[in-house]
Amino acid sequence: MNGMKYIGRALFLALLALGSFFATYNLLTMMIHNNTRLEKMGSNDLDGMSLPTSFDPIIQMPENHKALSKERLLFHVALTATDAPYSKWQCRIMYYWYKKMKDMPESDMGGFTRILHSGSPDELMDEIPTFVANPLPKGLDKGYIVLNRPWAFVQWLEKAKINEEYILMAEPDHILVNPLPNLGQNGYPAAFPFFYIRPDENKQIIRKYYPEEKGPVTDVDPIGNSPVIIKKSLLEKIAPTWMNVSLRMKNDTETDKAFGWVLEMYAYAVASALHGVQHILRKDFMLQPPWDLDIGKKYIIHYTYGCDYSLNGELTYGKIGEWRFDKRSYLRGPPPKNLTMPPPGVPESVVCYNYLTC
């Protein structure tokens, strides 16, 4: 795999996922115990399935797309972050691998910005290019700190000088494992489809924010804001709407209960649809251990899920394993550099990100 030869020592990682992301592990367990529903969704809807390297990565194109241009356009890498230790270590690792991959063949990465929405500079300012954004007024996020993300992007887009025409919205718990080209083409943004973002199964709620006169609910893509590669001019239009829809959703009891920790992801998808923006859905954009087993030609490892295995290399699902790696185990600082490697039989994706983050 391209870039893996650089994978050696480096990175002691992991941690930024705000208190609201603790629910992620519960989602993981729910997935496993809901096999019937997953089977009905079909392979195109699942980002957690191992796929052969010859698979077609594009699972959905915008309805009015033209033939994709082969013109290569640089994109700016932007990730939002807090000043918590959990976030800082993940940002350092993400930035490390950005620098490793940036100038490799096939990479279209340009500049990099950590959008720090804690309101004050921190000690990483000299290490990582950083824009300091103000958080929402106290109490407005109702404890859901992720609501600061769209507001931070609004500020950055208004005040920062961004030389690239495209932007990659990334997160601290992303690791680049292959050189990333610009997957957005001819003005269309590219996004990763999440199996748990289901506008079609939440029509009644979606209609509160995307009325019938705007079009069918299927106009709302099954995505979040990250990873997304999008034209800067489009994001400048979408970001304020994304912020407003996020706040409206959080203040609606029914929506807040239904969407939970992925509410802000739905808000981005709805905001994009309100502006008539459809995304190219790329299942090779990202992989998520332990559900995605191989790396192949995929570009980003998202280590949001805890990985628990027996010493025989068997995944123990929501049960703490004899061997485990979970970024939430390191809320106060990075993992040690001498982490025990996974036992034999553990998938390549888990071995890789365990190696890359320590």
Side-chain angles (χ1 to χ4, degrees):
M1 130 186 141
N2 293 332
M4 290 304 298
K5 59 185 178 182
Y6 293 99
I7 296 171
R9 317 179 67 185
L11 296 169
F12 23 54
L13 158 314
L15 310 125
L16 165 350
L18 326 148
S20 54
F21 283 95
F22 278 100
T24 303
Y25 210 72
N26 293 331
L27 173 68
L28 185 107
T29 304
M30 176 189 74
M31 284 168 44
I32 295 305
H33 294 289
N34 208 358
N35 288 334
T36 301
R37 182 174 174 225
L38 295 182
E39 289 172 1
K40 291 180 179 178
M41 290 165 65
S43 59
N44 283 348
D45 295 306
L46 298 178
D47 63 343
M49 301 295 288
S50 177
L51 295 166
T53 56
S54 61
F55 75 100
D56 182 358
I58 301 178
I59 67 172
Q60 181 175 311
M61 291 291 296
E63 292 181 359
N64 298 317
H65 78 280
K66 300 176 182 178
L68 293 184
S69 168
K70 292 186 178 180
E71 181 183 7
R72 298 182 65 183
L73 298 169
L74 295 181
F75 56 85
H76 194 96
V77 179
L79 73 159
T80 52
T82 73
D83 60 0
Y86 183 52
S87 176
K88 291 176 182 177
W89 294 119
Q90 293 180 51
C91 288
R92 295 185 72 191
I93 293 174
M94 201 285 180
Y95 185 55
Y96 177 93
W97 288 107
Y98 155 80
K99 291 189 292 183
K100 286 290 187 182
M101 296 291 174
K102 179 180 181 293
D103 296 322
M104 293 185 66
E106 306 305 321
S107 168
D108 289 330
M109 290 189 286
F112 185 103
T113 300
R114 177 182 65 133
I115 305 175
L116 179 64
H117 55 70
S118 300
S120 301
D122 65 7
E123 71 274 17
L124 295 185
M125 300 289 291
D126 293 332
E127 179 180 342
I128 305 174
T130 299
F131 173 88
V132 178
N134 292 319
L136 291 167
K138 187 175 181 180
L140 198 59
D141 63 13
K142 295 186 175 182
Y144 181 55
I145 197 170
V146 187
L147 286 185
N148 287 286
R149 182 177 293 156
W151 171 223
F153 267 108
V154 169
Q155 296 173 72
W156 179 62
L157 290 165
E158 286 181 350
K159 299 177 181 179
K161 181 180 179 181
I162 307 164
N163 295 322
E164 297 82 2
E165 187 178 351
Y166 282 78
I167 292 169
L168 164 65
M169 291 188 283
E171 296 183 10
D173 60 354
H174 288 175
I175 296 177
L176 292 156
V177 289
N178 276 304
L180 180 59
N182 190 339
L183 303 177
Q185 293 289 336
N186 294 340
Y188 288 105
F192 176 78
F194 290 90
F195 76 91
Y196 49 80
I197 302 297
R198 302 291 301 196
D200 58 329
E201 294 184 0
N202 293 278
K203 292 182 180 180
Q204 182 176 345
I205 294 176
I206 293 295
R207 283 303 186 197
K208 291 184 177 184
Y209 313 95
Y210 191 73
E212 289 189 21
E213 57 266 26
K214 295 295 294 184
V217 168
T218 52
D219 286 348
V220 180
D221 290 327
I223 61 173
N225 82 290
S226 177
V228 166
I229 297 178
I230 186 170
K231 208 167 185 179
K232 180 173 62 176
S233 58
L234 282 181
L235 187 57
E236 288 171 339
K237 296 175 182 178
I238 292 171
T241 307
W242 173 26
M243 179 187 69
N244 291 330
V245 172
S246 295
L247 292 171
R248 284 182 58 200
M249 286 183 170
K250 188 62 181 176
N251 283 297
D252 182 84
T253 302
E254 181 186 20
T255 306
D256 190 23
K257 182 178 179 180
F259 291 164
W261 65 272
V262 297
L263 179 149
E264 168 265 344
M265 298 172 69
Y266 271 102
Y268 174 79
V270 169
S272 297
L274 287 170
H275 285 277
V277 175
Q278 292 182 299
H279 296 70
I280 303 169
L281 302 186
R282 298 282 304 229
K283 57 190 174 186
D284 62 339
F285 208 153
M286 187 168 74
L287 63 145
Q288 301 186 103
W291 310 115
D292 295 297
L293 306 181
D294 68 307
I295 296 171
K297 296 182 179 180
K298 302 181 184 76
Y299 300 106
I300 294 171
I301 287 181
H302 183 210
Y303 55 94
T304 188
Y305 297 114
C307 294
D308 290 273
Y309 288 86
S310 70
L311 295 182
N312 294 324
E314 297 177 351
L315 183 63
T316 59
Y317 306 118
K319 179 181 177 182
I320 294 178
E322 296 171 286
W323 180 93
R324 77 186 316 253
F325 183 91
D326 188 337
K327 64 180 184 177
R328 297 162 192 80
S329 299
Y330 306 99
L331 295 175
R332 297 181 180 180
K337 294 184 179 182
N338 59 345
L339 279 177
T340 303
M341 292 301 287
V346 170
E348 173 196 20
S349 61
V350 176
V351 175
C352 179
Y353 95 76
N354 178 77
Y355 188 49
L356 293 177
T357 58
C358 61

